[in-house]
Amino acid sequence: MRSSALRLLSQTRYSPIINGRAVSTAAKKTKTKTEPPKKEDSFCMNLFRGEANLKQVFPYPVNLNDERREMLSMILGGTEKFLEEVNDPVKNDENATIPKEVLKQFAEYGAFGALVPEEYEGAGLNNTQMTRLAEVVGRHDLGLGVVMGAHQSIGYKGILLYGNEEQKKKYLPDLATGRKFAAFCLTEPSSGSDANSIRSRAVLSPDGKYYILNGSKIWISNGGIADLFTVFAQTPVEQADGSVKDKVSAFVVERGFGGVTNGPPEKKMGIKGSNTTEVYFENVKIPAENMLGEKGEGFKVAMNILNNGRFGIPAACTGAMKHCIQKTVEHITTRTQFGRKLEEFGDVQEKLSDMVLRHYATESIVYMLAANMDRGIQDYQLEAAIGKVMSSENAWIVCDNAIQLHGGMGFMKECGLERVLRDLRIFRIFEGANDVMRLFIGLTGMQYAGKHLQHTAKQVASGNVFALFGAVARRTSRSTGGDFASVVHPSLKSSATLVDDAIVRFGKTVEALLTKHRKNIIERQFEVTRVANAAIDIYSMVAVLSRCTRTLNSTDGDSNHEKQIAELFVRQASRRAVKQLKETDGATLSNLSLITSIAKDVCKNQALPQVHPIDV
Ligand code: MYA
């Protein structure tokens, strides 16, 4: 079976293309023909090969020395005071704006230049410190978090990541101090999730000094308050064969260049305090030196900005979950019904512990991601996407449960939870819709696994049978040994075994899917989504076990609460992961034809086609 799998895969190339467009196919073909696949240390990438690469996940990475801890506690002290005494999330929501003076005061705590080095007037925090700051902001006011995130996590992040020294010196000080605001301009009326298909266009002036930009962007966070925009636009780029093709480039655009205008603030369901508008560019003259990164490489610039800023969402969601749990605990320990405190009912306990588990898993993932970024790890695109997806969904469920446990009170504005729920809804949509992120996770991982299988197949075909033995041996050792069981705290061994088993099953499922569907895997969203779901649960289990092991090791095993959380989480998540993987096999695929058929019927009819029950 194994050799036939390799033979089939050797005839196939895989692309993480989601919409079926054959983007950069030729380049990928050349790459796979000549080079062995790039080796990654990313846990999530290797998971798709059924391997547990522990390098980035064990021991649980935390990178805060005493000096950084002290600096953080000073910043948090001031920020918490500001959030409790100055900023008013209820008013921000009601007035659909955050007063300028409030933003100005917030800036004084370094909140708008968290990651900017001190030499450019920033706070000089690392990602772990910023995560903690974003968590605190998310606990109080998600709308304010979005102003902060849209400004620095994506708005001017391109200057930090790709800017040259002149660009950094020119722009960062004003941005880091909140004297000026930034926005990230990618989305367009006809280009949302399909970010590569933007139509805004920038053409070099005949004297080569300017790019002339025309186009419009929608749903731009901070669009109405920004002085500076990171804008993505098509630019004509000469190809190696002399032909010219439009490719995306990135630019730093100042409002002051002229020709930049914005629409009125959008009326939104939540995060109302944040400003969202359309932004228009009409014959904007951008100095040629304001290009960010290389010409034609703007799509990658955009993706890397998004990857790099994606930890902001899990950070803010962790804080929001903490707030919901805190409020719920206060309520269920004081409210009496049927002669007992709510906390005494089994159903209430089940809901609360589910909230606690979801929060623990999210917190474990976000601080692991931030610490890995701090130690210079570059291959975290899947981990960041997983963090974004699981945190936004966990926070939604936690807030919904909090409202449920508050009963009628939870539905009332006065309680405050309905605002959090409204605010949280967008987190599953923006910065990469979760549905698209799932496909990105599944297909990127499968492409990586596919390349490795192809490589092994090629080696075997050229007479290197050891390559095949190596692959088989790796698999055998995995199915008998326990990678995690050997690194976790002894009291978590049985949980670790469940993770080891899930990883082996995951690798086998991916291989089976690649063998069966080959390049058509890109059209199999039913299966890819389930694989992504399993990856999310497996990575969550790993983060939870790693963190809990760290706690148990540092407390001589004396942290029963966390141990119980980890145990229960792994039991539940491993079962979920296995279920998702099982659903990719033939038995449940019969559901797929029904799903497709039902959806097609409704679309064809442009309404619900069934007979109304009272009309039969
Ligand atoms: S901003 C707008 C957000 N928009 C999106 O996120 C767009 C989503 N779409 C995509 O991500 C892409 O278009 C997808 C690719 C994934 C669908 N990392 O052929 P391809 C490479 C690195 O697959 P497509 C907003 O919402 C890929 O390997 N590389 O492309 C603001 C390939 O490279 P190569 C990547 O089919 C909200 C090439 O690109 C990635 O077009 C405000 C082409 O790939 C990646 N991720 O689709 C937020 N993806 O050719 C406020 C692709 O070399 C924040 N590639 O093989 C609030 C925070 C809260 C508070 C925080 C406080 C601080």
Side-chain angles (χ1 to χ4, degrees):
M1 186 245 150
R2 174 95 189 160
S3 55
S4 82
L6 294 173
R7 187 168 45 76
L8 285 172
L9 284 160
S10 70
Q11 298 158 4
T12 315
R13 280 175 299 106
Y14 299 99
S15 158
I17 304 166
I18 283 162
N19 52 17
R21 211 178 42 220
V23 180
S24 55
T25 315
K28 281 170 190 163
K29 188 172 186 176
T30 329
K31 255 190 246 169
T32 51
K33 262 195 170 170
T34 52
E35 296 163 15
K38 191 176 148 231
K39 190 182 168 312
E40 300 257 4
D41 282 327
S42 149
F43 173 83
C44 293
M45 282 291 205
N46 286 295
L47 175 61
F48 283 81
R49 299 180 62 206
E51 289 192 10
N53 187 327
L54 305 183
K55 219 169 165 175
Q56 296 180 359
V57 291
F58 264 98
Y60 189 79
V62 176
N63 282 320
L64 281 185
N65 58 25
D66 288 348
E67 196 185 327
R68 283 207 174 269
R69 279 181 200 280
E70 199 179 319
M71 174 182 173
L72 180 62
S73 89
M74 270 168 56
I75 291 179
L76 288 186
T79 312
E80 295 251 25
K81 200 166 151 42
F82 161 83
L83 290 166
E84 268 152 29
E85 295 172 10
V86 180
N87 182 58
D88 186 341
V90 177
K91 265 199 189 148
N92 295 344
D93 181 62
E94 274 170 13
N95 300 336
T97 185
I98 303 176
K100 272 203 172 117
E101 329 61 270
V102 173
L103 293 179
K104 211 171 154 199
Q105 271 200 53
F106 193 35
E108 282 163 22
Y109 300 102
F112 291 122
L115 294 176
V116 176
E118 286 166 74
E119 61 185 294
Y120 306 112
E121 296 186 44
L125 304 189
N126 66 13
N127 292 293
T128 305
Q129 291 169 306
M130 174 159 171
T131 299
R132 186 76 180 92
L133 179 63
E135 180 197 328
V136 170
V137 176
R139 184 145 60 85
H140 288 85
D141 187 351
L142 288 163
L144 179 64
V146 169
V147 176
M148 178 184 165
H151 174 61
Q152 63 192 316
S153 292
I154 52 177
Y156 68 76
K157 182 56 82 65
I159 301 179
L160 264 181
L161 295 180
Y162 291 93
N164 56 36
E165 195 47 37
E166 266 167 50
Q167 290 168 335
K168 285 182 182 172
K169 270 193 191 143
K170 181 169 178 191
Y171 293 117
L172 288 179
D174 279 344
L175 294 164
T177 49
R179 291 192 288 267
K180 288 190 173 163
F181 278 94
F184 180 80
C185 293
L186 179 64
T187 305
E188 297 188 1
S190 63
S191 160
S193 292
D194 184 5
N196 221 341
S197 68
I198 53 171
R199 292 188 182 162
S200 292
R201 202 151 182 273
V203 182
L204 197 60
S205 61
D207 62 6
K209 287 187 178 156
Y210 296 96
Y211 278 90
I212 310 296
L213 170 68
N214 280 288
S216 65
K217 303 283 176 177
I218 53 167
W219 304 325
I220 302 304
S221 299
N222 292 352
I225 61 169
D227 310 281
L228 184 134
F229 305 82
T230 300
V231 184
F232 299 89
Q234 301 287 354
T235 46
V237 179
E238 198 174 322
Q239 306 297 291
D241 63 2
S243 64
V244 175
K245 200 177 155 196
D246 265 6
K247 293 187 103 181
V248 177
S249 296
F251 298 93
V252 178
V253 178
E254 295 177 33
R255 195 184 276 272
F257 288 164
V260 181
T261 50
N262 61 268
E266 299 288 352
K267 293 186 171 64
K268 307 188 292 278
M269 173 183 179
I271 56 161
K272 292 187 184 193
S274 72
N275 171 280
T276 313
T277 67
E278 293 192 11
V279 179
Y280 315 107
F281 302 100
E282 205 183 333
N283 292 322
V284 180
K285 273 174 84 180
I286 313 170
E289 63 269 20
N290 271 31
M291 184 175 278
L292 266 183
E294 297 296 315
K295 189 173 176 182
E297 293 290 316
F299 185 68
K300 287 222 164 152
V301 171
M303 292 302 113
N304 285 330
I305 291 173
L306 289 165
N307 290 339
N308 190 282
R310 238 166 221 147
F311 71 89
I313 285 185
C317 285
T318 307
M321 281 188 250
K322 218 172 236 180
H323 168 73
C324 294
I325 292 170
Q326 185 63 41
K327 262 188 105 62
T328 303
V329 171
E330 282 160 22
H331 179 69
I332 64 174
T333 52
T334 48
R335 172 94 170 155
T336 301
Q337 287 290 278
F338 305 107
R340 283 148 81 183
K341 292 266 163 61
L342 292 189
E343 63 171 311
E344 291 167 35
F345 292 100
D347 179 60
V348 173
Q349 290 164 356
E350 191 175 346
K351 284 196 174 66
L352 178 64
S353 61
D354 182 72
M355 292 158 78
V356 170
L357 261 52
R358 286 178 192 279
H359 170 261
Y360 189 88
T362 310
E363 200 176 62
S364 306
I365 277 194
V366 67
Y367 282 97
M368 180 180 267
L369 173 62
N372 277 334
M373 289 171 74
D374 283 338
R375 54 180 169 150
I377 282 163
Q378 298 290 326
D379 43 352
Y380 54 79
Q381 51 177 341
L382 291 195
E383 284 79 359
I386 286 178
K388 193 271 169 185
V389 172
M390 62 86 79
S391 65
S392 53
E393 291 175 7
N394 280 334
W396 177 258
I397 294 168
V398 165
C399 186
D400 187 51
N401 267 334
I403 290 176
Q404 193 66 21
L405 287 173
H406 276 76
M409 257 174 247
F411 193 66
M412 301 300 141
K413 249 188 174 350
E414 198 191 338
C415 171
L417 286 169
E418 62 84 35
R419 174 177 46 80
V420 180
L421 193 79
R422 280 190 288 107
D423 286 350
L424 280 171
R425 188 59 187 86
I426 190 62
F427 285 73
R428 287 159 55 198
I429 300 173
F430 67 13
E431 264 201 11
N434 285 9
D435 329 75
V436 174
M437 286 295 97
R438 281 193 161 85
L439 298 174
F440 168 71
I441 294 162
L443 291 172
T444 305
M446 287 206 226
Q447 181 190 38
Y448 178 69
K451 276 184 186 167
H452 276 273
L453 285 169
Q454 279 177 313
H455 186 63
T456 313
K458 275 184 201 157
Q459 286 183 300
V460 173
S462 65
N464 179 1
V465 284
F466 293 109
L468 180 58
F469 290 147
V472 173
R474 262 202 318 274
R475 157 144 315 157
T476 314
S477 74
R478 280 201 311 270
S479 359
T480 53
D483 293 309
F484 279 103
S486 61
V487 291
V488 295
H489 188 270
S491 65
L492 294 171
K493 261 193 190 336
S494 59
S495 301
T497 306
L498 290 174
V499 180
D500 282 327
D501 292 348
I503 293 172
V504 173
R505 189 186 275 264
F506 187 91
K508 285 181 181 165
T509 305
V510 166
E511 190 175 310
L513 286 170
L514 288 173
T515 305
K516 184 169 170 195
H517 299 293
R518 299 192 281 164
K519 67 182 174 191
N520 283 336
I521 193 68
I522 62 173
E523 299 295 342
R524 306 294 304 190
Q525 300 195 345
F526 182 86
E527 291 91 335
V528 174
T529 297
R530 278 156 181 78
V531 166
N533 285 340
I536 292 169
D537 266 325
I538 292 173
Y539 184 53
S540 302
M541 290 191 277
V542 167
V544 161
L545 285 182
S546 177
R547 171 185 175 185
C548 188
T549 293
R550 185 172 186 270
T551 307
L552 291 170
N553 285 342
S554 63
T555 56
D556 287 332
D558 186 23
S559 187
N560 202 35
H561 177 69
E562 281 194 44
K563 187 173 149 290
Q564 288 174 340
I565 290 177
E567 254 177 39
L568 183 58
F569 183 82
V570 171
R571 271 188 223 169
Q572 294 179 345
S574 60
R575 209 168 294 158
R576 272 197 307 263
V578 169
K579 181 170 174 285
Q580 291 289 312
L581 294 172
K582 274 190 186 156
E583 280 185 12
T584 64
D585 72 15
T588 39
L589 285 181
S590 60
N591 290 351
L592 181 55
S593 60
L594 293 177
I595 289 167
T596 311
S597 175
I598 292 167
K600 278 191 174 162
D601 281 351
V602 178
C603 291
K604 193 170 159 203
N605 201 48
Q606 291 288 297
L608 293 170
Q610 71 260 32
V611 183
H612 193 280
I614 64 168
D615 289 343
V616 178

